[in-house]
């Protein structure tokens, strides 16, 4: 069993990387999970996961200098593939090699989470969503954020990627019922959870530790676990994932 899931947002600052690692740790309690920082231009998952000193990253893989297993690290009960932060490496890297990396990683995991770029400004930014089976859309609880999320959903479905669900983040109080209804209706997917605004999140980032390791009993951590419980893992196989990754249509427009 394996499923490739992109975690996307349509804009920056939604807490997408925190969400990716939180969902990964929660799902890892019952599944083998591999997390990939597919945001090759603005990578920061390596800092969230305490891998700032990693010798080999996804950039090396996309440059053709290393196999993906050399860039894979065991962290917090998951396998983590960080990406480097070098602008020169980003510009020289071949994003098409991400296809083979996804195909290779799918052979040895249950859930492959792709932390996707925050915007849809280039073909390489859209590619992780295209390669995934499904995507989780992370939104702040506002109409403009929902509009950005709808663009992610449109791209996903246009290239054969389903929307697995919506996760509202940085909630102060509660999410408006009408906003929830609109998100579910327009994205044709359930709201998996609502994550409260929390002061423990900056502390986790400062210490280079995922939220669920830094403050496992916090309200935000519990909300992420509840969202992971609502996420229904789909049963596929490594061969199917590999074939999809290699044959998925490369988007012609960002």
């Amino acid at each position: 069993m394996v499923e490739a899931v992109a975690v996307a947002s349509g804009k920056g600052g939604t807490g997408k990387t925190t969400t990716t690692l939180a969902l990964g740790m929660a799902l890892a309690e019952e599944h083998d999970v591999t997390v990939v920082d597919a945001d090759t231009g603005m990578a920061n998952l390596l800092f969230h996961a305490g891998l700032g000193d990693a010798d080999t990253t996804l950039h090396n893989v996309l440059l053709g200098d290393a196999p993906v297993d050399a860039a894979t690290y065991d962290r917090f009960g998951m396998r983590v593939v960080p990406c480097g932060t070098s602008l020169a490496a980003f510009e020289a890297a071949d994003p098409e090699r991400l296809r083979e990396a996804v195909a290779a990683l799918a052979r040895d995991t249950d859930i492959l989470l792709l932390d996707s770029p925050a915007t849809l400004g280039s073909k390489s930014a859209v590619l992780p969503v295209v390669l995934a089976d499904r995507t989780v859309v992370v939104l702040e609880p506002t109409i403009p954020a929902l509009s950005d999320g709808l663009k992610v959903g449109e791209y996903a479905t246009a290239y054969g990627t389903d929307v697995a669900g919506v996760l509202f983040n940085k909630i102060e109080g509660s999410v408006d019922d009408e906003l929830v209804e609109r998100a579910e209706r327009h994205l044709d997917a359930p709201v998996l959870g609502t994550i409260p605004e929390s002061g423990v999140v900056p502390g986790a980032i400062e210490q280079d530790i995922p939220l669920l390791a830094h403050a496992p009993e916090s309200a935000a951590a519990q909300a992420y676990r509840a969202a992971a419980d609502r996420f229904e893992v789909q049963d596929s196989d490594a061969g199917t994932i590999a074939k999809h990754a290699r044959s998925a249509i490369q988007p012609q427009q960002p």
Side-chain angles (χ1 to χ4, degrees):
M1 177 186 76
V2 62
E3 181 177 15
V5 179
V7 181
S9 62
K11 64 169 288 186
T14 62
K16 176 177 53 61
T17 298
T18 293
T19 295
T20 303
L21 287 170
L23 289 178
M25 284 191 65
L27 290 167
E29 295 176 5
E30 296 185 6
H31 304 278
D32 289 329
V33 174
T34 300
V35 173
V36 180
D37 190 348
D39 188 352
T40 57
M42 296 290 288
N44 62 10
L45 187 146
L46 75 169
F47 302 118
H48 288 241
L51 289 168
D53 59 352
D55 292 327
T56 306
T57 74
L58 185 64
H59 270 166
N60 300 101
V61 178
L62 300 184
L63 287 167
D65 294 336
V68 72
D69 61 340
T72 304
Y73 303 84
D74 292 327
R75 299 289 290 170
F76 304 102
M78 307 174 290
R79 284 180 289 274
V80 179
V81 182
C83 189
T85 58
S86 166
L87 179 59
F90 165 65
E91 292 176 340
D94 180 2
E96 282 293 297
R97 288 196 173 101
L98 184 61
R99 296 174 180 273
E100 287 300 324
V102 168
L105 290 167
R107 292 196 295 264
D108 193 32
T109 196
D110 294 337
I111 302 171
L112 186 59
L113 292 177
L114 305 175
D115 185 17
S116 304
T119 64
L120 304 175
S122 69
K123 289 188 284 188
S124 62
V126 178
L127 186 57
V129 172
V130 174
L131 296 182
D133 298 298
R134 296 190 293 166
T135 187
V136 171
V137 181
V138 182
L139 302 175
E140 292 184 11
T142 66
I143 293 296
L146 177 58
S147 177
D148 292 327
L150 293 179
K151 295 172 187 174
V152 174
E154 289 173 3
Y155 268 103
T157 55
Y159 290 99
T161 302
D162 294 331
V163 178
V166 180
L167 201 151
F168 283 106
N169 196 20
K170 300 184 178 182
I171 307 302
E172 295 182 0
S174 61
V175 181
D176 183 75
D177 289 341
E178 181 180 351
L179 191 61
V180 170
E181 187 276 330
R182 290 178 67 175
E184 292 185 329
R185 173 161 48 88
H186 290 301
L187 286 165
D188 192 24
V191 170
L192 298 172
T194 55
I195 313 301
E197 181 74 59
S198 175
V200 301
V201 173
I205 295 172
E206 288 174 7
Q207 295 188 31
D208 296 343
I209 299 174
L211 172 64
L212 266 66
H214 173 69
E217 302 305 320
S218 65
Q222 293 178 27
Y224 275 122
R225 286 197 190 90
D229 287 342
R230 295 187 188 101
F231 180 83
E232 297 183 3
V233 180
Q234 293 187 343
D235 189 0
S236 187
D237 60 71
T240 301
I241 299 295
K243 181 178 179 181
H244 173 70
R246 292 178 176 128
S247 63
I249 299 172
Q250 171 73 25
Q252 296 303 310
Q253 302 260 340

